[in-house]
Amino acid sequence: MVRVMATGVFDIIHLGHIHFLEEAKKLGDELVVVVASDTTVRRNKHHPINPAEVRARIVEALKPVDRAVVGHEDDPLRIVEELRPDIIVLGYDQPFDERELEQKLRERGLEVRVIRLSHYDADLNGTRKLIFRIAERLAREELYGGGKIGKKNGGG
């Protein structure tokens, strides 16, 4: 059995995430997704909209995913030691060097192949794109019948 591991924030699920997870699943028999902890997201990207446990539960519900876990804050490679994947899949924009990561894993006694997937080009293939589209539509009052969120529409 080939275990594939993918990692990410997965704050607002979009088509880029789906493509990433579908492609990752094709590389093996089991896909385990490591969802970044809230502290890790705040340190490296932004303040998460959804807490890590919610993000992991949503990701685990996606068809290609067999299991989702929240990553460790102190040592990002510790979860690799625990899960022992055969392959780690990186997204096109994840800031890791594949060869350097493989070397660090070898130093810990792990033989793991690291594969970077190509960019998926779609209209709303990124969280920032999706958030900006929502913000633009809110500013133009094009959501929720033109009313302000929180007034008569109940906020959501």
Side-chain angles (χ1 to χ4, degrees), residues 106-146:
R106 267 193 299 279
E107 290 169 7
R108 291 183 179 222
L110 299 168
E111 287 297 323
V112 182
R113 237 173 85 209
V114 179
I115 298 172
R116 184 170 302 276
L117 295 180
S118 61
H119 177 65
Y120 177 69
D121 196 24
D123 183 32
L124 293 175
N125 66 342
T127 302
R128 284 183 186 89
K129 288 181 182 180
L130 191 57
I131 289 171
F132 289 141
R133 173 80 53 92
I134 292 168
E136 287 172 357
R137 297 231 173 127
L138 283 171
R140 292 192 310 251
E141 296 187 5
E142 294 177 355
L143 291 178
Y144 300 103

Side-chain angles (χ1 to χ4, degrees), residues 8-13 35-42 46-59 69-71 73:
V9 176
F10 303 101
D11 206 3
I12 299 174
I13 300 296
V35 174
S37 72
D38 294 338
T39 301
T40 300
V41 176
R42 278 191 291 275
H46 57 82
H47 290 282
I49 294 168
N50 289 301
E53 293 75 21
V54 170
R55 291 182 281 119
R57 186 158 180 221
I58 290 168
V59 167
V69 298
V70 176
E73 296 172 4

Side-chain angles (χ1 to χ4, degrees), residues 7 69 94 103:
T7 66
V69 298
Q94 289 179 309
Q103 180 58 37

